[in-house]
């Protein structure tokens, strides 16, 4: 029987519940427990797949092709467990399945209500991973803030679960804010007291309270909250700002979070094995070198849109003992070769990440040309690979006007296009999502990086390298070094006579871990460091 931990948020949003949930996952895993994190979002969108990155940051993709909240990226990076579509639920998808069931007559004419029908569906989804995996502990983060109208069914569902799953098998963690009033020189506990009261009013008594604070929380403040919120003082955990999110689990362990959770769930509490994690954080904090990577994209003022790419670059820096400074370059500002010369002069490496639509695309193509001609290491991820291919077609194959049909349906040379077997070609084609196999050419940069000839990577794209142009590209030197065997699709391309210019149709960033950088990011940053010398 699995145990369940529910994490709710109080007072304000953006307190770092996702990082707290991920950190807790790590602390329990390193005690020997199999953990699984999940996130329940109270908004009505069916999934984050179609949400604007400006509002929601990047869409994180799982092996099984679910388009999820970016918090799942934190969970995977901290716990190193591959999650699935069961790990992310929105109120929209809950209501959708309840309403579909109603339309299909599944309720046999009964009245369909938030309680019990919506709450039952939420409970079913919380319990699903427990039934499908052998997880010892399921950590469920409830998005939003306690008191929000839209999160009420979720709070009610987790309240009921204590009854369903057994009182000794459930624990509640409430993450709240402890504001510091400078003038008074004091930490204020009242908002937290109110938030806990709100939670208690909904029938939930937290077992553990985590306090986000700008300054250390002294014993007196902890004691006060313990007294007024019915929580033992050893279960009041301060959650301070850290230089890196990867230090947070270590700080949480120091504060006794892991032990408090084990106590609350009557689990044994062996010392966690965090040695390698500590080493990783030390290396992160004491880099020996520095390298500048220009990230050329269209959402550069919103870094969350490229969250996993930025994390993967950081991980690659850790294993190369280097700080990686990302220079965020708005592709739309690259209008001419002169712009590119000037803007990318400082870059040791250039990365063009994924993206949709034609905004900034010509700037990205100029950046790829600059990288190829000046022999600056270049890494193209998804759209970034397509950009590499378009640039190569125009300049090396001499196919002027070559493009992706996503950007120009009338292009004379559709080097990136929908493939005939994408029977959605007329409808626009659906996204290719989730993990697919890729066979690597043995003597390629990619195979050398992975030290493997078959890899599985995650995808989220619609357009493909157009096989009709394959021979032409190969004649002109472009190496097609990764192929999806099932559909004979080009997955990896490499530019010859260049220190490191590679594009991948998949998203390697989703599988990078702080203590196990993704091989391609590792090699890209390695090449950037070399280019610097
Ligand atoms: N827009 C491109 C496609 O759909 C690339 C997608 C991406 O970069 N994720 O094929």
């Amino acid at each position: 029987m699995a145990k369940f931990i529910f994490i709710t948020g109080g007072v304000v949003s953006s307190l770092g519940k996702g990082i707290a949930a991920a950190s807790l996952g790590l602390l329990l895993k390193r005690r020997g427990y199999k953990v699984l994190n999940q996130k329940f979002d109270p908004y009505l969108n069916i999934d984050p797949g179609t949400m604007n990155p400006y509002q929601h940051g990047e869409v994180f993709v799982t092996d099984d092709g679910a388009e999820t909240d970016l918090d799942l990226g934190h969970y995977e990076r901290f716990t190193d467990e591959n999650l699935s579509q069961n790990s992310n639920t929105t109120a929209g998808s809950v209501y959708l399945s309840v309403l579909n069931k109603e339309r299909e007559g599944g309720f046999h004419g009964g009245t369909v209500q938030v309680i019990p029908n919506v709450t039952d569906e939420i409970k079913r989804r919380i319990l699903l991973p427990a039934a499908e995996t052998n997880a010892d502990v399921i950590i469920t983060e409830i998005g939003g803030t306690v008191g929000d109208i839209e999160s009420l069914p979720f709070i009610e569902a987790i309240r009921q679960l204590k009854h369903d799953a057994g009182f000794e098998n459930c624990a509640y963690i409430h993450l709240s804010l402890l504001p510091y009033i400078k003038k008074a020189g004091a930490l204020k506990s009242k908002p937290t007291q109110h938030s806990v009261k709100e939670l208690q009013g909904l029938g939930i008594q937290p077992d553990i309270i985590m306090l986000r604070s700008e300054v250390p929380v002294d014993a007196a403040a902890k004691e006060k909250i313990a007294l007024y919120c019915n929580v033992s003082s050893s279960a009041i955990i301060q959650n301070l700002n850290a230089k890196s999110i990867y230090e947070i689990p270590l700080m949480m362990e120091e504060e006794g979070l892991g032990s408090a959770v084990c106590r609350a769930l009557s689990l044994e509490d062996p010392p966690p094995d965090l040695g390698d994690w500590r080493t990783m954080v030390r290396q992160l904090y004491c880099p020996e070198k520095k390298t500048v990577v220009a990230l050329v994209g269209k959402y550069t003022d919103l870094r969350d849109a490229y969250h996993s790419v930025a994390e993967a670059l950081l991980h690659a820096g850790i294993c190369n003992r280097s700080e990686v400074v990302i220079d965020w370059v708005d592709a739309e500002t690259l209008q001419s070769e002169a712009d590119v010369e000037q803007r990318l002069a400082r870059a040791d490496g250039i990365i063009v990440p994924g993206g949709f639509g034609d905004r900034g695309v010509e700037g990205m193509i100029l950046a790829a040309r600059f990288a190829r001609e000046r022999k600056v290491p270049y890494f193209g991820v998804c759209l970034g690979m397509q950009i590499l291919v378009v640039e190569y077609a125009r300049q090396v194959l001499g196919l002027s006007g070559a493009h992706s049909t996503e950007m120009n349906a009338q292009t004379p040379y559709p080097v990136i296009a929908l493939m005939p077997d994408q029977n959605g070609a007329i409808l626009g084609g659906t996204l290719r999502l989730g993990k697919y196999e890729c066979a690597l050419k043995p003597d390629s940069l990619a195979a050398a990086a992975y030290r493997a000839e078959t890899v599985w990577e995650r995808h989220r794209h619609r357009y493909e390298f157009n096989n009709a142009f394959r021979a032409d590209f190969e004649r002109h030197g472009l190496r097609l070094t990764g192929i999806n065997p099932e559909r004979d699709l080009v997955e990896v391309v490499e530019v010859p006579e260049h220190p490191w210019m590679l594009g991948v149709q998949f998203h390697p960033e989703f599988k990078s871990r702080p203590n196990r950088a993704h091989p391609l990011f590792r090699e890209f940053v390695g090449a950037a460091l070399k280019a610097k010398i």
Side-chain angles (χ1 to χ4, degrees), residues 160-171:
Q160 291 182 12
L161 254 166
K162 191 159 188 168
H163 163 269
D164 297 359
F167 276 60
E168 66 292 355
N169 294 328
C170 292

Side-chain angles (χ1 to χ4, degrees), residues 241-249 251 281 284-285 311 314:
N241 295 339
K243 212 163 100 190
S244 159
I245 53 169
Y246 297 118
E247 193 190 346
I248 289 176
M251 292 160 62
V281 172
L284 167 65
Y285 284 173
E311 290 303 298
L314 183 91

Side-chain angles (χ1 to χ4, degrees), residues 18-97:
I19 302 288
S23 300
L24 177 58
L26 177 77
L27 298 182
L28 292 175
K29 181 165 177 176
R30 296 308 181 93
R31 282 173 163 79
Y33 295 111
K34 178 154 173 62
V35 294
L36 213 99
N37 283 75
Q38 52 177 193
K39 167 116 194 243
F40 280 37
D41 279 309
Y43 52 72
L44 288 176
N45 305 66
I46 307 296
D47 66 41
T50 49
M51 292 174 84
N52 184 342
Y54 274 104
Q55 287 191 18
H56 214 71
E58 79 174 2
V59 174
F60 188 81
V61 180
T62 55
D63 272 348
D64 63 349
E67 299 178 274
T68 72
D69 185 84
L70 60 70
D71 273 332
L72 268 77
H74 297 312
Y75 304 161
E76 285 206 359
R77 285 185 281 271
F78 280 68
T79 66
D80 201 12
E81 294 289 337
N82 289 332
L83 302 173
S84 75
Q85 56 179 353
N86 294 339
S87 288
N88 195 193
T89 276
T90 68
S93 74
V94 169
Y95 280 97
L96 186 68
S97 51

Side-chain angles (χ1 to χ4, degrees), residues 354-357 381-383 386 406-407 431 460-463 505 507:
F356 292 82
V381 172
C382 206
L383 176 65
Q386 301 176 350
E406 177 184 6
M407 322 300 168
L431 285 177
R460 180 171 184 255
H461 69 113
R462 184 170 288 124
Y463 295 84
Q505 189 57 80
H507 288 276

Side-chain angles (χ1 to χ4, degrees), residues 223 239 241 310 398 447 521 526:
E223 202 45 53
N239 183 343
N241 295 339
F521 278 90

